[in-house]
């Protein structure tokens, strides 16, 4: 099903970003001023009749130059990354390794989306880290260094991170240790720094 959807989106003349979520979750994110949906719902149109539908929000600011637009995009992604890192710290302090791994994984996803959006004008309707990683590394090959550096088991590490998405919710056999979290956190810090530097340079090139 999603393969067919992706093929249809690819055939469109303009890039389209598709995100599927539960309305109750969207409402909760809007209440908490999470940046993604607060930005997406730009017109302030009343969508809801009860708690099961989507709430309106304030119009997004209009950026006047490509550099300002890119700055706004980067700021929103960085806010999402910050929110995931906050939850990551909370779960780590509670010794809940599976949920900590899930939030580490979410920061990596947002970093790849940020790189793709700023460098090619759009990202993809994907949560698959392998898919996003391949496309981000095609644009910025040096991102590979976050996984290759000083390790012979980088693919196993990445697979552990990739499986954190389904592992948290569905796969009861999925486990991740404190030691593995520590290693993935190191990769996370490296990748986030590289992604931020790449996007900052892209913004400077637009000025």
């Amino acid at each position: 099903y999603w393969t067919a959807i992706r093929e249809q989106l690819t055939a469109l003349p303009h890039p389209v970003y598709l995100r599927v979520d539960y309305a109750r979750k969207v409402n909760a994110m809007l209440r908490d001023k999470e940046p993604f949906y607060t930005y997406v719902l730009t017109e302030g149109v009343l969508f809801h009749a009860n708690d099961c539908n989507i709430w309106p929000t304030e119009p997004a600011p209009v950026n006047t130059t490509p550099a300002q637009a890119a700055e706004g995009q980067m700021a929103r992604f960085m806010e999402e990354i910050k929110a995931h890192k906050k939850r990551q710290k909370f779960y780590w302090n509670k010794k809940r390794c599976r949920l900590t791994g899930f939030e580490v994984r979410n920061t990596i996803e947002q970093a790849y989306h940020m790189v793709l959006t700023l460098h090619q004008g759009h990202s993809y309707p994907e949560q698959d880290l392998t898919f996003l990683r391949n496309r981000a590394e095609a644009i910025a090959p040096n991102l590979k260094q976050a996984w290759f550096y000083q390790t012979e088991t980088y693919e196993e590490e990445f697979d552990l991170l990739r499986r954190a998405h389904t592992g948290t919710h569905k796969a009861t056999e999925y486990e991740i240790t404190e030691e593995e979290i520590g290693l993935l956190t190191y990769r996370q810090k490296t990748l986030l720094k590289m992604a931020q530097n790449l996007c900052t340079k892209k913004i400077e090139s637009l000025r």
Side-chain angles (χ1 to χ4, degrees):
Y1 175 79
W2 289 112
T3 301
I5 291 293
R6 190 185 305 148
E7 290 175 352
Q8 293 178 48
L9 291 176
T10 303
L12 293 174
H14 300 288
V16 175
Y17 185 90
L18 175 67
R19 178 157 173 165
V20 179
D21 232 325
Y22 291 104
R24 289 181 185 275
K25 179 181 176 183
V26 174
N27 286 342
M29 293 178 74
L30 288 171
R31 287 193 199 99
D32 295 337
K33 303 297 183 182
E34 293 282 352
F36 180 82
Y37 286 109
T38 301
Y39 175 67
V40 169
L41 300 180
T42 58
E43 298 301 325
V45 177
L46 184 65
F47 287 109
H48 76 288
N50 55 50
D51 192 46
C52 295
N53 294 300
I54 298 174
W55 290 19
T57 188
E58 295 297 321
V62 177
N63 294 308
T64 57
T65 68
Q68 288 175 327
E71 283 180 329
Q73 290 172 330
M74 183 175 177
R76 287 187 289 276
F77 280 113
M78 292 304 298
E79 281 297 317
E80 287 212 25
I81 289 170
K82 181 180 178 181
H84 287 304
K85 289 182 73 175
K86 182 178 180 179
R87 289 190 288 268
Q88 174 187 332
K89 182 178 181 181
F90 172 81
Y91 291 130
W92 175 251
N93 290 337
K94 298 290 185 180
K95 304 299 182 184
R96 300 178 67 177
C97 290
R98 287 172 61 160
L99 288 171
T100 303
F102 178 54
E103 295 301 342
V104 173
R105 175 234 169 267
N106 288 341
T107 65
I108 300 299
E109 179 189 337
Q110 292 302 316
Y112 284 139
H113 280 307
M114 181 171 69
V115 170
L116 290 166
T117 300
L118 266 73
H119 284 77
Q120 65 182 20
H122 67 95
S123 189
Y124 300 91
E126 277 290 343
Q127 294 180 316
D128 184 347
L129 285 189
T130 302
F131 179 93
L132 296 172
R133 174 188 170 186
N134 289 340
R135 279 148 184 80
E137 289 178 357
I139 292 173
N142 62 323
L143 288 175
K144 297 177 182 179
Q145 297 303 315
W147 304 104
F148 283 102
Y149 184 64
Q150 291 185 345
T151 179
E152 296 179 356
T153 60
Y154 59 88
E155 289 299 346
E156 289 85 350
E157 295 170 22
F158 184 80
D159 187 62
L160 185 66
L161 189 68
R162 181 185 61 78
R163 291 189 295 114
H165 181 63
T166 54
T168 306
H169 304 289
K170 300 176 182 178
T172 56
E173 70 276 10
Y174 177 81
E175 295 294 341
I176 187 168
T177 66
E178 290 187 15
E179 182 180 1
E180 289 168 331
I181 289 290
L183 185 58
L184 289 175
T185 300
Y186 174 78
R187 307 290 176 215
Q188 173 198 36
K189 289 178 180 178
T190 303
L191 182 68
L192 292 180
K193 183 177 180 180
M194 295 175 73
Q196 189 170 0
N197 288 340
L198 279 167
C199 293
T200 299
K201 290 179 180 178
K202 179 63 177 178
I203 292 170
E204 290 301 319
S205 73
L206 296 172
R207 295 190 188 282

